[in-house]
Amino acid sequence: MSDAQNTGSQAVSTNRPLRLRDALRQARIEAADRTGVVVDLRDAEVARLEILNDALDPLFAQVPEKVDLFDRGISQGDTPRLWIDVIAHIEMGRDKRQYRFVQDTRYGRTVLAESYEVPEIAQAVTRYVARRLVERERALSDDVALGRHAAQQALRSERRRRRWRALRTLLYGMILGVAALFAYVLVNNPAP
């Protein structure tokens, strides 16, 4: 009877398909847990960053395609990093288990979030991406305002040019009219 129960539970687990992505994620987690204490900590860092990178896929799928602020990827240098954009990245803490979300500023490096949990760092990255998108919108609206201001100045300048052109035409017309009047008088008025 226990064999029937075992085969029944195996049948239930085999009926439900396991996605490759989920299996890879689980294998990475297991590998990262196993190698967390081993000498090869760098591979564990990269594995943990890949897990976080996979967790951020739904977020970056929602970013509009025309927005090119973000260039996400893992750099395999001395210190592996998951880059979010040019100035923000995630690296592992000293214990190689803690995620550190860091932004480079003109005053130095600022830690935006630290956590051992992937969902907490994913939330911090979501907030960061939202702030960057709002900054982009403001910059674009400022450009529109500057463009509108430049267009208004160009319109004023064009109006001034038209006024001067009209005034010049009036002056030339008056001069030509006076010259024509003198010519008429000289031609029609015989000299005594």
Side-chain angles (χ1 to χ4, degrees):
M1 185 157 231
S2 64
D3 290 334
Q5 288 175 349
N6 289 342
T7 57
S9 64
Q10 288 174 351
V12 169
S13 65
T14 56
N15 286 343
R16 194 177 56 187
L18 182 64
R19 291 183 3 188
L20 179 60
R21 180 181 222 165
D22 294 338
L24 281 172
R25 183 171 187 261
Q26 186 62 34
R28 286 181 182 141
I29 290 171
E30 291 169 1
D33 287 340
R34 280 193 311 270
T35 60
V37 244
V38 185
V39 176
D40 196 9
L41 294 176
R42 189 172 172 283
D43 288 342
E45 286 181 74
V46 171
R48 289 181 186 279
L49 290 173
E50 286 175 352
I51 291 167
L52 179 60
N53 192 24
D54 289 343
L56 293 174
D57 282 342
L59 166 67
F60 284 98
Q62 296 175 23
V63 174
E65 289 182 24
K66 64 183 177 178
V67 175
D68 57 355
L69 288 175
F70 308 105
D71 192 19
R72 188 171 51 122
I74 297 176
S75 66
Q76 304 270 341
D78 291 337
T79 304
R81 294 181 173 132
L82 171 59
W83 290 92
I84 304 302
D85 61 8
V86 178
I87 58 174
H89 65 272
I90 299 163
E91 59 189 17
M92 300 308 294
R94 288 187 180 181
D95 65 353
K96 309 301 181 201
R97 290 184 176 269
Q98 183 180 33
Y99 296 100
R100 295 181 73 219
F101 184 30
V102 181
Q103 180 181 20
D104 293 327
T105 66
R106 68 180 102 171
Y107 304 112
R109 192 167 279 175
T110 304
V111 177
L112 300 176
E114 283 183 316
S115 177
Y116 291 97
E117 302 298 322
V118 171
E120 290 178 24
I121 295 298
Q123 280 293 74
V125 172
T126 302
R127 288 190 300 271
Y128 174 78
V129 167
R131 282 195 306 269
R132 292 285 294 182
L133 289 173
V134 168
E135 288 173 7
R136 178 183 180 275
E137 288 172 1
R138 284 185 180 164
L140 290 176
S141 68
D142 288 346
D143 286 349
V144 169
L146 289 175
R148 191 177 313 135
H149 179 68
Q152 288 173 348
Q153 283 183 332
L155 186 60
R156 284 187 211 123
S157 171
E158 181 63 28
R159 286 179 186 160
R160 272 188 242 124
R161 275 190 236 117
R162 286 182 187 168
R163 285 184 199 138
W164 280 109
R165 197 175 304 135
L167 183 61
R168 230 184 340 213
T169 303
L170 178 67
L171 288 175
Y172 289 149
M174 287 175 59
I175 291 171
L176 273 172
V178 170
L181 185 60
F182 280 126
Y184 179 72
V185 169
L186 285 176
V187 171
N188 288 334
N189 207 1

